[in-house]
Amino acid sequence: MRQAVFDGEGSRIRWTEAPGAEPARVYVHGLGAASAAYHAHIAARPELAGRRSLFVDLPGHGISDRPAGFGYSLEEHADALATALDAAGVSGAELIAHSMGGAVALVLAHRRPGLVSRLVLTEANLDPFPPLTAGSSGIASYEEDEFADGGYARVLENVGPVWAATMRLADPRALHRSAVGLRRGSQPMMRALLEELPVERVCLQGGLSGELDGEQALEAAGVRVVTVPGAGHNVMFDNPDAFAAAVAGHV
């Protein structure tokens, strides 16, 4: 495990790392998740083995610190992730990012273009104010104190055992602020960043989730959109073969 201080209070962002060839692959989790739990089984596959792989937990999540005074906006998460990559000596990385992590990766690629050479985004948040059925909207529907004082426990009971396994490791206030920041989006908005970034971009959409909004416009902007059959939001669990093929660039 490695770590780097990401704020003025000495708080540390942490990651685990497997050695290998450059460019590194950096795996970034979604809201209430943890990177190794969602991606280590993919990085170890034969078609992906041998590359340097970093599994970074964003502030407030997993093994990283959860400072009370941190804002947990997309921009702040992206800056903390940049701090980790700088400390690890990473540049020109491939970012493999899921859900909220995809939004963070887009902001990072915009703010620190030298850190990113390729984006593989899985069901990334591209637009603000997702429907109330989305996990982030459900969490953000609470006031922060209300969420910390009981809403967090109610959400944990209802999200299912897979998500709850990592969500219970997240700090309640960090989780709420992250959800609020994700719902608000970035400036420029994530979709605009995705269309304009001058790197290879792949968007994975679970076939069970329905068609990706604005797919034709994204493809016109040079984004490769791949619909993965038999998969929902967690493509890396539902169809790991297709997920690994996309990460390896075989689709």
Side-chain angles (χ1 to χ4, degrees):
M1 183 175 65
R2 299 187 61 186
Q3 59 186 6
V5 174
F6 66 87
D7 66 2
E9 305 299 322
S11 305
R12 289 169 169 81
I13 185 169
R14 296 185 176 90
W15 65 96
T16 54
E17 182 172 335
E22 303 284 352
R25 292 192 179 110
V26 177
Y27 295 86
V28 188
H29 62 82
L31 180 69
S35 286
Y38 274 68
H39 293 114
H41 67 293
I42 296 295
R45 290 175 62 101
E47 62 266 47
L48 297 176
R51 286 280 290 277
R52 186 183 182 193
S53 300
L54 288 77
F55 307 94
V56 185
D57 285 346
L58 296 170
H61 293 72
I63 58 175
S64 289
D65 286 347
R66 47 215 66 207
F70 196 66
Y72 299 95
S73 67
L74 292 175
E75 289 80 6
E76 287 166 302
H77 277 306
D79 288 347
L81 179 56
T83 297
L85 299 189
D86 286 340
V90 168
S91 62
E94 298 182 12
L95 263 62
I96 319 303
H98 180 226
S99 198
M100 182 186 80
V104 173
L106 288 166
V107 174
L108 174 68
H110 172 66
R111 293 164 78 95
R112 293 287 307 277
L115 293 177
V116 181
S117 63
R118 181 174 183 250
L119 291 167
V120 180
L121 309 179
T122 305
E123 297 232 340
N125 295 79
L126 302 181
D127 303 301
F129 303 108
L132 287 176
T133 53
S136 57
S137 291
I139 293 170
S141 68
Y142 291 89
E143 295 296 327
E144 183 176 317
D145 288 343
E146 179 189 12
F147 184 73
D149 293 340
Y152 174 62
R154 289 193 291 274
V155 168
L156 277 177
E157 290 176 354
N158 293 314
V159 296
V162 172
W163 198 7
T166 54
M167 187 182 288
R168 67 188 179 189
L169 304 177
D171 177 80
R173 293 187 184 275
L175 183 64
H176 184 269
R177 292 179 199 172
S178 296
V180 169
L182 180 59
R183 189 169 181 266
R184 181 173 58 243
S186 62
Q187 291 297 329
M189 199 55 64
M190 295 85 73
R191 183 177 294 274
L193 296 178
L194 177 58
E195 291 177 348
E196 296 170 4
L197 285 167
V199 298
E200 181 184 351
R201 295 147 294 160
V202 179
C203 280
L204 302 182
Q205 177 76 359
L208 302 179
S209 299
E211 185 177 338
L212 178 62
D213 290 341
E215 178 176 339
Q216 291 184 343
L218 291 175
E219 291 185 330
V223 180
R224 178 79 183 276
V225 178
V226 179
T227 300
V228 181
H233 188 60
N234 295 328
V235 177
M236 68 291 295
F237 295 147
D238 297 337
N239 194 334
D241 290 342
F243 187 87
V247 174
H250 296 162
V251 297

Coordinates of all heavy atoms in Angstrom, one line a residue, residues 141-219:
S141 N -30.6 13.1 -2.0 CA -32.0 13.6 -1.7 C -32.1 13.9 -0.2 O -33.0 14.6 0.3 CB -33.0 12.6 -2.1 OG -32.9 11.4 -1.3
Y142 N -31.2 13.4 0.6 CA -31.1 13.7 2.0 C -30.3 15.0 2.3 O -29.4 15.3 1.5 CB -30.4 12.6 2.8 CG -31.1 11.2 2.9 CD1 -30.9 10.3 1.9 CD2 -31.9 10.9 4.0 CE1 -31.5 9.0 2.0 CE2 -32.5 9.7 4.1 CZ -32.4 8.7 3.1 OH -33.0 7.5 3.2
E143 N -30.6 15.7 3.3 CA -29.7 16.7 3.9 C -28.5 15.9 4.5 O -28.6 14.8 4.9 CB -30.4 17.6 4.9 CG -31.5 18.4 4.3 CD -31.0 19.4 3.3 OE1 -29.9 19.9 3.4 OE2 -31.8 19.7 2.3
E144 N -27.4 16.6 4.5 CA -26.2 15.9 5.0 C -26.3 15.3 6.4 O -26.0 14.2 6.7 CB -24.9 16.8 4.9 CG -23.7 16.1 5.4 CD -22.4 16.9 5.2 OE1 -22.3 17.6 4.2 OE2 -21.6 16.9 6.1
D145 N -26.8 16.2 7.4 CA -27.0 15.7 8.7 C -28.0 14.5 8.8 O -27.8 13.6 9.6 CB -27.4 16.8 9.6 CG -26.3 17.8 9.9 OD1 -25.1 17.5 9.7 OD2 -26.6 18.9 10.4
E146 N -29.0 14.6 8.0 CA -30.1 13.6 8.0 C -29.5 12.3 7.5 O -29.8 11.2 8.0 CB -31.2 14.1 7.1 CG -32.4 13.1 7.0 CD -33.4 13.5 5.9 OE1 -33.1 14.4 5.1 OE2 -34.4 12.8 5.9
F147 N -28.6 12.4 6.5 CA -28.0 11.2 5.9 C -27.1 10.6 7.0 O -27.1 9.3 7.2 CB -27.2 11.5 4.6 CG -26.7 10.3 4.0 CD1 -27.5 9.4 3.3 CD2 -25.3 10.1 4.0 CE1 -26.9 8.3 2.7 CE2 -24.8 8.9 3.4 CZ -25.6 8.1 2.7
A148 N -26.3 11.4 7.6 CA -25.3 10.8 8.6 C -26.0 10.2 9.8 O -25.5 9.3 10.4 CB -24.4 11.9 9.0
D149 N -27.2 10.8 10.1 CA -27.9 10.4 11.4 C -28.9 9.2 11.2 O -29.6 8.9 12.1 CB -28.6 11.6 12.0 CG -27.7 12.6 12.5 OD1 -26.5 12.3 12.7 OD2 -28.1 13.8 12.7
G150 N -29.0 8.7 10.0 CA -29.9 7.6 9.8 C -30.1 7.2 8.3 O -30.4 6.0 8.0
G151 N -30.0 8.2 7.4 CA -30.1 7.9 6.0 C -29.1 6.9 5.5 O -29.4 6.0 4.7
Y152 N -27.9 7.0 6.0 CA -26.8 6.1 5.6 C -27.2 4.7 5.9 O -27.0 3.8 5.0 CB -25.5 6.6 6.3 CG -24.3 5.7 6.1 CD1 -23.8 5.5 4.8 CD2 -23.7 5.1 7.2 CE1 -22.6 4.7 4.7 CE2 -22.6 4.3 7.0 CZ -22.0 4.1 5.8 OH -20.9 3.4 5.6
A153 N -27.7 4.4 7.1 CA -28.0 3.1 7.5 C -29.2 2.6 6.6 O -29.2 1.4 6.2 CB -28.4 3.0 8.9
R154 N -30.2 3.4 6.3 CA -31.3 3.0 5.4 C -30.8 2.7 4.0 O -31.3 1.7 3.4 CB -32.4 4.1 5.4 CG -33.1 4.2 6.7 CD -34.4 5.1 6.6 NE -34.0 6.5 6.4 CZ -33.8 7.4 7.3 NH1 -33.8 7.0 8.6 NH2 -33.5 8.6 7.0
V155 N -29.9 3.5 3.5 CA -29.4 3.2 2.2 C -28.6 1.9 2.1 O -28.8 1.1 1.2 CB -28.5 4.4 1.7 CG1 -27.7 4.0 0.4 CG2 -29.4 5.6 1.4
L156 N -27.8 1.6 3.1 CA -27.0 0.4 3.2 C -28.0 -0.8 3.2 O -27.6 -1.9 2.6 CB -26.2 0.4 4.5 CG -24.8 1.1 4.4 CD1 -24.1 1.0 5.7 CD2 -23.9 0.5 3.3
E157 N -29.1 -0.7 3.8 CA -30.0 -1.8 3.9 C -30.7 -2.1 2.5 O -31.1 -3.2 2.3 CB -31.2 -1.5 4.9 CG -30.7 -1.5 6.3 CD -31.8 -1.2 7.3 OE1 -32.9 -0.8 6.8 OE2 -31.6 -1.2 8.5
N158 N -30.7 -1.1 1.6 CA -31.5 -1.2 0.4 C -30.6 -1.3 -0.9 O -31.2 -1.6 -2.0 CB -32.4 0.0 0.2 CG -33.5 -0.1 1.3 OD1 -34.1 -1.1 1.5 ND2 -33.7 1.1 2.0
V159 N -29.3 -1.2 -0.8 CA -28.5 -1.1 -2.0 C -28.1 -2.5 -2.5 O -27.6 -2.7 -3.6 CB -27.3 -0.3 -1.9 CG1 -27.6 1.2 -1.6 CG2 -26.3 -0.8 -0.8
G160 N -28.3 -3.5 -1.7 CA -27.9 -4.9 -2.1 C -26.5 -5.2 -1.6 O -25.7 -4.3 -1.2
P161 N -26.2 -6.5 -1.4 CA -25.0 -6.9 -0.7 C -23.7 -6.5 -1.4 O -22.7 -6.3 -0.7 CB -25.1 -8.4 -0.6 CG -26.1 -8.8 -1.7 CD -27.0 -7.7 -1.8
V162 N -23.6 -6.5 -2.7 CA -22.4 -6.2 -3.4 C -22.0 -4.7 -3.1 O -20.8 -4.4 -2.7 CB -22.5 -6.4 -4.9 CG1 -21.3 -5.9 -5.6 CG2 -22.7 -7.9 -5.2
W163 N -22.9 -3.8 -3.4 CA -22.5 -2.4 -3.2 C -22.4 -2.1 -1.7 O -21.5 -1.3 -1.3 CB -23.6 -1.5 -3.8 CG -23.2 -0.1 -4.0 CD1 -22.0 0.5 -3.8 CD2 -24.0 1.0 -4.4 NE1 -22.0 1.8 -4.1 CE2 -23.2 2.2 -4.5 CE3 -25.4 1.1 -4.7 CZ2 -23.7 3.4 -4.9 CZ3 -25.9 2.3 -5.1 CH2 -25.1 3.5 -5.2
A164 N -23.2 -2.7 -0.8 CA -23.1 -2.5 0.6 C -21.7 -2.9 1.2 O -21.2 -2.3 2.1 CB -24.2 -3.2 1.3
A165 N -21.1 -3.9 0.5 CA -19.9 -4.4 1.0 C -18.8 -3.4 1.0 O -17.9 -3.4 1.9 CB -19.4 -5.6 0.2
T166 N -18.8 -2.5 0.0 CA -17.8 -1.4 0.0 C -18.4 -0.1 0.5 O -17.6 0.7 1.1 CB -17.3 -1.2 -1.4 OG1 -18.3 -1.0 -2.3 CG2 -16.4 -2.4 -1.8
M167 N -19.7 0.1 0.3 CA -20.2 1.4 0.8 C -20.1 1.5 2.3 O -19.9 2.6 2.9 CB -21.7 1.5 0.4 CG -22.3 2.8 0.8 SD -24.1 3.0 0.4 CE -24.0 3.1 -1.4
R168 N -20.1 0.4 3.0 CA -20.0 0.5 4.5 C -18.6 0.9 4.9 O -18.4 1.3 6.1 CB -20.4 -0.9 5.1 CG -19.4 -2.0 4.8 CD -19.9 -3.3 5.3 NE -19.0 -4.4 4.9 CZ -19.3 -5.7 5.1 NH1 -20.5 -6.0 5.6 NH2 -18.4 -6.6 4.7
L169 N -17.7 0.9 4.0 CA -16.3 1.4 4.3 C -16.2 2.9 4.1 O -15.2 3.5 4.5 CB -15.3 0.6 3.4 CG -15.3 -0.9 3.5 CD1 -14.3 -1.5 2.5 CD2 -15.0 -1.4 4.9
A170 N -17.2 3.5 3.4 CA -17.1 4.9 3.1 C -17.6 5.7 4.3 O -18.6 5.3 4.9 CB -17.9 5.2 1.8
D171 N -17.0 6.9 4.5 CA -17.5 7.8 5.5 C -18.9 8.4 5.1 O -19.0 8.8 3.9 CB -16.5 8.9 5.7 CG -17.0 9.9 6.7 OD1 -16.9 9.7 7.9 OD2 -17.5 11.0 6.3
P172 N -19.9 8.4 6.0 CA -21.2 8.8 5.6 C -21.2 10.3 5.0 O -21.9 10.5 4.0 CB -22.0 8.7 6.8 CG -21.4 7.7 7.6 CD -19.9 7.8 7.3
R173 N -20.5 11.2 5.6 CA -20.5 12.6 5.1 C -19.7 12.7 3.8 O -20.1 13.4 2.9 CB -20.0 13.5 6.2 CG -20.9 13.6 7.4 CD -20.5 14.7 8.4 NE -21.3 14.7 9.6 CZ -22.5 15.3 9.7 NH1 -22.9 16.0 8.6 NH2 -23.2 15.2 10.8
A174 N -18.7 11.9 3.7 CA -17.9 11.9 2.5 C -18.8 11.3 1.3 O -18.8 11.8 0.2 CB -16.6 11.1 2.6
L175 N -19.5 10.3 1.6 CA -20.4 9.7 0.7 C -21.5 10.7 0.2 O -21.7 10.8 -1.0 CB -21.0 8.4 1.3 CG -21.9 7.6 0.4 CD1 -21.1 7.0 -0.8 CD2 -22.5 6.4 1.2
H176 N -22.1 11.3 1.2 CA -23.1 12.3 0.8 C -22.6 13.5 0.0 O -23.1 13.8 -1.0 CB -23.8 12.8 2.1 CG -24.9 13.8 1.8 ND1 -24.8 15.1 1.7 CD2 -26.2 13.5 1.6 CE1 -25.9 15.7 1.4 NE2 -26.8 14.7 1.4
R177 N -21.4 14.0 0.4 CA -20.9 15.2 -0.3 C -20.4 14.7 -1.7 O -20.6 15.5 -2.7 CB -19.7 15.8 0.4 CG -20.1 16.5 1.7 CD -18.9 17.1 2.5 NE -19.3 17.3 3.8 CZ -18.4 17.7 4.8 NH1 -17.1 17.8 4.5 NH2 -18.8 17.9 6.0
S178 N -19.9 13.5 -1.8 CA -19.5 13.0 -3.2 C -20.8 12.8 -4.1 O -20.7 13.2 -5.2 CB -18.8 11.6 -3.0 OG -17.6 11.7 -2.3
A179 N -21.9 12.4 -3.5 CA -23.1 12.2 -4.3 C -23.6 13.6 -4.7 O -24.1 13.7 -5.8 CB -24.1 11.5 -3.4
V180 N -23.6 14.5 -3.8 CA -24.0 15.9 -4.2 C -23.2 16.5 -5.2 O -23.7 17.1 -6.2 CB -24.0 16.8 -2.9 CG1 -24.2 18.3 -3.3 CG2 -25.1 16.3 -1.9
G181 N -21.8 16.3 -5.1 CA -20.9 16.8 -6.2 C -21.1 16.1 -7.5 O -21.1 16.8 -8.5
L182 N -21.4 14.8 -7.5 CA -21.6 14.1 -8.7 C -22.9 14.5 -9.3 O -23.0 14.7 -10.6 CB -21.7 12.6 -8.4 CG -21.9 11.6 -9.5 CD1 -20.8 11.8 -10.6 CD2 -22.0 10.2 -9.0
R183 N -23.9 14.7 -8.5 CA -25.2 15.2 -9.1 C -25.1 16.6 -9.7 O -25.7 16.9 -10.7 CB -26.3 15.2 -8.0 CG -27.7 15.4 -8.4 CD -28.7 15.1 -7.3 NE -30.0 15.3 -7.8 CZ -30.7 16.4 -7.6 NH1 -30.2 17.5 -7.0 NH2 -32.0 16.6 -8.0
R184 N -24.3 17.4 -9.1 CA -24.1 18.8 -9.6 C -23.3 18.8 -10.9 O -23.5 19.6 -11.8 CB -23.4 19.6 -8.6 CG -23.1 21.1 -9.0 CD -22.6 21.9 -7.8 NE -21.3 21.3 -7.3 CZ -21.2 20.8 -6.0 NH1 -22.2 20.8 -5.2 NH2 -20.1 20.4 -5.6
G185 N -22.3 17.9 -11.0 CA -21.5 17.7 -12.2 C -20.3 18.7 -12.1 O -20.0 19.3 -11.1
S186 N -19.6 18.7 -13.2 CA -18.4 19.5 -13.4 C -18.6 20.7 -14.3 O -19.6 20.8 -15.0 CB -17.2 18.7 -13.9 OG -17.5 18.2 -15.2
Q187 N -17.6 21.6 -14.3 CA -17.6 22.7 -15.2 C -16.3 22.8 -15.9 O -15.3 23.0 -15.3 CB -17.9 24.1 -14.5 CG -19.3 24.2 -14.0 CD -20.4 24.2 -15.1 OE1 -20.1 24.6 -16.3 NE2 -21.5 23.6 -14.9
P188 N -16.2 22.6 -17.3 CA -17.3 22.2 -18.2 C -17.9 20.8 -17.7 O -17.2 20.0 -17.1 CB -16.6 22.1 -19.5 CG -15.3 22.9 -19.4 CD -14.9 22.7 -18.0
M189 N -19.1 20.5 -18.2 CA -19.8 19.3 -17.9 C -19.1 18.1 -18.4 O -18.4 18.2 -19.4 CB -21.2 19.4 -18.3 CG -22.1 18.4 -17.6 SD -22.1 18.5 -15.8 CE -22.8 20.1 -15.6
M190 N -19.2 16.9 -17.8 CA -18.5 15.7 -18.1 C -18.7 15.3 -19.6 O -17.7 14.9 -20.2 CB -18.9 14.6 -17.2 CG -18.6 14.8 -15.7 SD -19.8 15.7 -14.8 CE -21.1 14.5 -14.6
R191 N -19.9 15.4 -20.1 CA -20.1 15.0 -21.4 C -19.3 15.9 -22.4 O -18.8 15.4 -23.4 CB -21.6 15.1 -21.8 CG -22.0 14.6 -23.2 CD -23.5 14.6 -23.4 NE -24.2 13.6 -22.6 CZ -24.4 12.4 -22.9 NH1 -23.9 11.9 -24.0 NH2 -25.0 11.6 -22.1
A192 N -19.3 17.2 -22.2 CA -18.5 18.1 -23.0 C -17.0 17.7 -23.0 O -16.3 17.7 -24.0 CB -18.7 19.5 -22.6
L193 N -16.5 17.4 -21.8 CA -15.1 17.0 -21.6 C -14.9 15.7 -22.4 O -13.8 15.6 -23.1 CB -14.8 16.8 -20.2 CG -14.9 18.0 -19.2 CD1 -14.5 17.6 -17.8 CD2 -13.9 19.1 -19.7
L194 N -15.8 14.8 -22.3 CA -15.6 13.5 -23.0 C -15.5 13.7 -24.5 O -14.7 13.1 -25.3 CB -16.7 12.5 -22.7 CG -16.7 11.2 -23.4 CD1 -15.4 10.4 -23.2 CD2 -17.9 10.4 -23.0
E195 N -16.4 14.6 -25.1 CA -16.4 14.8 -26.5 C -15.1 15.6 -27.0 O -14.8 15.4 -28.1 CB -17.6 15.6 -26.9 CG -18.9 14.8 -26.7 CD -20.2 15.7 -27.0 OE1 -20.1 16.9 -27.1 OE2 -21.3 15.1 -27.1
E196 N -14.5 16.3 -26.1 CA -13.4 17.2 -26.6 C -12.0 16.7 -26.2 O -11.0 17.2 -26.8 CB -13.6 18.6 -25.9 CG -14.9 19.3 -26.4 CD -15.2 20.5 -25.6 OE1 -14.4 20.9 -24.7 OE2 -16.2 21.2 -25.8
L197 N -11.9 15.8 -25.3 CA -10.5 15.3 -24.9 C -9.8 14.7 -26.1 O -10.3 13.8 -26.8 CB -10.6 14.4 -23.7 CG -10.9 15.0 -22.4 CD1 -11.3 13.9 -21.4 CD2 -9.7 15.8 -21.9
P198 N -8.5 15.0 -26.3 CA -7.7 14.5 -27.4 C -7.0 13.2 -27.1 O -5.8 13.1 -27.4 CB -6.8 15.7 -27.7 CG -6.5 16.2 -26.3 CD -7.8 16.1 -25.6
V199 N -7.7 12.3 -26.5 CA -7.1 11.0 -26.2 C -8.0 9.9 -26.6 O -9.2 10.2 -26.9 CB -6.8 10.8 -24.6 CG1 -5.8 11.8 -24.2 CG2 -8.1 10.9 -23.8
E200 N -7.5 8.7 -26.7 CA -8.4 7.5 -27.0 C -9.5 7.4 -25.9 O -9.1 7.4 -24.7 CB -7.6 6.2 -27.1 CG -8.5 5.0 -27.5 CD -7.7 3.7 -27.5 OE1 -6.5 3.8 -27.4 OE2 -8.4 2.7 -27.6
R201 N -10.7 7.3 -26.3 CA -11.8 7.2 -25.3 C -12.8 6.0 -25.7 O -13.2 5.9 -26.8 CB -12.6 8.5 -25.3 CG -11.9 9.7 -24.9 CD -12.3 11.0 -25.6 NE -12.0 10.9 -27.0 CZ -12.6 11.6 -28.0 NH1 -13.5 12.5 -27.7 NH2 -12.2 11.5 -29.2
V202 N -13.0 5.2 -24.7 CA -13.9 4.1 -24.8 C -15.0 4.2 -23.7 O -14.6 4.4 -22.5 CB -13.2 2.7 -24.7 CG1 -14.2 1.6 -24.9 CG2 -12.1 2.6 -25.8
C203 N -16.2 4.1 -24.1 CA -17.3 4.1 -23.1 C -18.0 2.7 -23.2 O -18.5 2.3 -24.2 CB -18.3 5.2 -23.4 SG -17.8 6.8 -22.9
L204 N -18.0 2.0 -22.0 CA -18.7 0.8 -21.9 C -20.1 1.0 -21.3 O -20.2 1.7 -20.3 CB -17.9 -0.2 -21.0 CG -16.5 -0.6 -21.5 CD1 -15.9 -1.6 -20.5 CD2 -16.5 -1.1 -22.9
Q205 N -21.1 0.4 -21.9 CA -22.5 0.5 -21.4 C -23.0 -0.9 -21.3 O -23.0 -1.7 -22.2 CB -23.3 1.3 -22.4 CG -24.8 1.4 -22.1 CD -25.1 2.5 -21.0 OE1 -24.1 3.1 -20.5 NE2 -26.3 2.7 -20.7
G206 N -23.5 -1.2 -20.1 CA -24.2 -2.5 -19.9 C -25.4 -2.6 -20.7 O -26.3 -1.7 -20.7
G207 N -25.5 -3.7 -21.4 CA -26.7 -3.9 -22.3 C -28.0 -3.9 -21.5 O -29.1 -3.5 -22.0
L208 N -28.0 -4.3 -20.2 CA -29.2 -4.4 -19.4 C -29.6 -3.0 -18.9 O -30.7 -2.8 -18.4 CB -29.0 -5.3 -18.2 CG -28.6 -6.8 -18.6 CD1 -28.4 -7.6 -17.3 CD2 -29.7 -7.4 -19.4
S209 N -28.7 -2.0 -19.1 CA -28.9 -0.6 -18.6 C -29.7 0.2 -19.6 O -30.1 1.3 -19.3 CB -27.6 0.0 -18.2 OG -27.0 -0.6 -17.2
G210 N -29.8 -0.3 -20.9 CA -30.4 0.5 -21.9 C -29.4 1.2 -22.7 O -28.2 1.3 -22.4
E211 N -29.8 1.9 -23.8 CA -28.9 2.6 -24.7 C -28.3 3.8 -24.0 O -28.9 4.5 -23.2 CB -29.7 3.1 -25.9 CG -28.9 3.8 -27.0 CD -29.7 4.1 -28.2 OE1 -30.7 3.5 -28.4 OE2 -29.2 5.0 -28.9
L212 N -27.0 4.1 -24.3 CA -26.3 5.2 -23.7 C -26.9 6.5 -24.3 O -26.9 6.6 -25.6 CB -24.8 5.1 -24.0 CG -23.9 6.3 -23.5 CD1 -24.0 6.4 -22.0 CD2 -22.5 6.1 -24.0
D213 N -27.3 7.4 -23.5 CA -27.8 8.7 -24.0 C -26.8 9.4 -24.9 O -25.6 9.5 -24.5 CB -28.2 9.6 -22.9 CG -29.5 9.1 -22.1 OD1 -30.2 8.3 -22.7 OD2 -29.7 9.5 -21.0
G214 N -27.2 9.9 -26.0 CA -26.3 10.7 -26.9 C -25.2 9.9 -27.5 O -24.2 10.4 -27.9
E215 N -25.5 8.6 -27.7 CA -24.4 7.7 -28.3 C -23.9 8.2 -29.6 O -22.7 8.2 -29.9 CB -25.0 6.3 -28.4 CG -24.0 5.3 -29.0 CD -24.6 3.9 -29.0 OE1 -25.5 3.6 -28.2 OE2 -24.0 3.1 -29.8
Q216 N -24.8 8.6 -30.5 CA -24.4 9.0 -31.9 C -23.5 10.2 -31.8 O -22.5 10.3 -32.5 CB -25.6 9.2 -32.7 CG -26.4 7.9 -33.1 CD -27.5 8.2 -34.0 OE1 -28.0 9.3 -34.2 NE2 -28.1 7.2 -34.7
A217 N -23.8 11.2 -31.0 CA -23.0 12.4 -30.9 C -21.6 12.0 -30.3 O -20.6 12.6 -30.7 CB -23.7 13.4 -30.0
L218 N -21.6 11.1 -29.3 CA -20.3 10.7 -28.8 C -19.4 10.0 -29.9 O -18.3 10.3 -30.0 CB -20.5 9.8 -27.6 CG -21.1 10.4 -26.3 CD1 -21.3 9.3 -25.3 CD2 -20.2 11.5 -25.8
E219 N -20.1 9.1 -30.6 CA -19.3 8.4 -31.7 C -18.8 9.4 -32.7 O -17.7 9.3 -33.3 CB -20.1 7.3 -32.2 CG -20.3 6.2 -31.3 CD -21.1 5.0 -31.9 OE1 -21.9 5.2 -32.8 OE2 -20.8 3.9 -31.4

